[in-house]
Amino acid sequence: MPARFPMPYPNSWYAVCDSSELRRGQVRRLQYLGRELVAFRGGDSVAHVLDAYCPHLGAHLGVGGKVQGDTVVCPFHGWRFAGDGRCVEAPYARTTPRCGVGSWSTVERNGVVWIWYHALGAAPDLGVLELPEHDDPGWTPFRRYRWTVKSHPQEMGENAADTAHFLYVHGTLGQPEVTSEVTPDGAFHATNRSRNKRFGVVVDTEVDIRVFCPGFSAIRFSELAEVLMLASSTPVDEETVEQTFRFAARRRGNPIVRALVSHLFMREVARQFEQDTPIWEHKVHLPRPVLCDGDGPIWQYRKWYQRFYSAQPISGEAKLPAAAAGHWK
Ligand code: FES
Ligand SMILES: [Fe+2]
């Protein structure tokens, strides 16, 4: 059977765990990007992510490995590895073997540990933006929702540009108005205005979507509540994505009403994600879709997305009716 997604893993920062899930002295096994990885936080409090298999005899550093100082110790024969992956000691050997494991560029932002993936091993050419709402006392701490979806980050992200599906999949009252642009700092920025029925009341919803890279987006909702959503998409393997939404709400008004409304709103966004899931899990990626003039900036999104691939996986142009073609320049 042909692969549903011809695209490789996009070059990007990817969330691998929350900072709070990697305490000082802790070791964590990670399984992302089709690889076995190990995360640890040494005595210096710095989070590190390494390839998991010890070069000695292949033990998994994340299963039984321990932190010692700023190093991780292999559970099998005690060899120690620094945060840069270098073997710094084989305790029973007279000479430390010159070897190591692969290490991943790692940053912590917004309470999340991120690693940089690049198909050709290039260093990061963009950062992970600090969101001003994170750790702001005027906003609640993040509430987390998580799913594992049989899809690809490009396919799932395309939702933001796909104007027409909101009516058919999410039941908006009419087609939303979607505008999009690529910002000077290279993010895909879309705004979505729609009319919705919530708990029997008709409300206008405004959504500001900024996709910074395939693994990291910030979505701001202004409706019954003012809500920020940090969305992270991390490939587990070539056809599986771990999707996490971290929601924060602005603290204003009656705290009980605000907590209730923002919680209900977060649940509604999560429910909408689950409405998309069966479509994503069964569709194929069409490199040459037939688009029409009401479809929203799907092709603009796809063109923008190409910057995250080392090789161009999409060739040719979408089959656009002549009348629609002008919308995609
Ligand atoms: S397998 Fe890791 S020290 Fe031997
Ligand atoms: Fe959707």
Side-chain angles (χ1 to χ4, degrees):
M1 233 171 56
R4 290 197 296 137
F5 313 114
M7 309 84 87
Y9 299 129
N11 302 329
S12 178
W13 287 103
Y14 289 116
V16 293
C17 64
D18 285 1
S19 295
S20 59
E21 293 173 317
L22 191 64
R23 293 183 307 278
R24 185 139 42 122
Q26 194 176 348
V27 177
R28 263 187 97 81
R29 176 187 185 182
L30 303 173
Q31 293 171 293
Y32 292 114
L33 297 151
R35 291 157 169 83
E36 289 285 339
L37 305 170
V38 56
F40 74 97
R41 193 188 295 279
D44 59 4
S45 289
V46 180
H48 298 286
V49 177
L50 305 177
D51 288 336
Y53 293 122
C54 178
H56 177 217
L57 283 164
H60 196 304
L61 298 172
V63 179
K66 299 258 182 315
V67 167
Q68 187 182 320
D70 297 337
T71 64
V72 60
V73 185
C74 178
F76 207 4
H77 313 93
W79 292 22
R80 295 196 297 122
F81 299 88
D84 62 2
R86 210 165 26 92
C87 177
V88 291
E89 188 189 28
Y92 54 88
R94 276 193 299 275
T95 312
T96 302
R98 287 162 63 90
C99 66
V101 290
S103 75
W104 294 67
S105 294
T106 305
V107 297
E108 285 186 77
R109 294 274 189 287
N110 306 309
V112 177
V113 179
W114 306 84
I115 59 169
W116 171 254
Y117 170 84
H118 191 283
L120 306 178
D125 54 5
L126 71 160
V128 179
L129 199 73
E130 189 73 61
L131 301 176
E133 295 90 339
H134 175 247
D135 267 350
D136 179 335
W139 288 75
T140 62
F142 283 138
R143 178 194 291 266
R144 194 173 82 174
Y145 290 73
R146 174 165 287 165
W147 301 265
T148 302
V149 181
K150 300 304 278 182
S151 187
H152 183 281
Q154 180 182 330
E155 282 279 303
M156 295 166 69
E158 196 166 279
N159 231 244
D162 178 355
T163 314
H165 95 284
F166 288 96
L167 181 59
Y168 299 97
V169 179
H170 304 307
T172 51
L173 303 175
Q175 292 269 5
E177 242 179 73
V178 176
T179 59
S180 75
E181 57 164 354
V182 176
T183 63
D185 55 357
F188 184 81
H189 175 215
T191 55
N192 180 316
R193 288 183 190 83
S194 62
R195 185 153 284 185
N196 296 280
K197 205 162 194 181
R198 306 261 192 252
F199 326 115
V201 183
V202 174
V203 291
D204 288 320
T205 311
E206 194 169 316
V207 188
D208 180 286
I209 303 153
R210 284 167 200 266
V211 189
F212 303 111
C213 57
F216 173 36
S217 310
I219 295 124
R220 292 176 172 89
F221 301 89
S222 162
E223 198 204 72
L224 294 176
E226 202 178 334
V227 169
L228 162 78
M229 180 173 98
L230 189 172
S232 64
S233 312
T234 306
V236 175
D237 58 36
E238 284 172 356
E239 292 208 350
T240 313
V241 176
E242 182 184 272
Q243 182 74 21
T244 308
F245 289 170
R246 295 169 178 85
F247 290 104
R250 188 192 282 281
R251 296 181 203 269
R252 67 162 185 219
N254 180 313
I256 295 170
V257 174
R258 192 247 314 135
L260 186 69
V261 169
S262 57
H263 181 56
L264 288 172
F265 184 73
M266 292 169 197
R267 289 263 307 270
E268 171 59 18
V269 176
R271 191 183 69 87
Q272 290 199 8
F273 181 87
E274 288 164 10
Q275 290 172 325
D276 286 315
T277 303
I279 308 264
W280 287 326
E281 293 206 316
H282 296 91
K283 78 186 291 296
V284 295
H285 175 80
L286 295 181
R288 292 161 173 253
V290 179
L291 298 173
C292 71
D293 58 6
D295 268 333
I298 291 174
W299 199 248
Q300 190 184 358
Y301 166 83
R302 288 195 179 191
K303 275 187 165 167
W304 168 80
Y305 211 96
Q306 293 312 297
R307 66 184 63 194
F308 300 104
Y309 293 117
S310 299
Q312 295 282 322
I314 295 177
S315 59
E317 287 290 325
K319 280 185 224 153
L320 289 171
H327 292 267
W328 313 100
K329 298 286 182 268

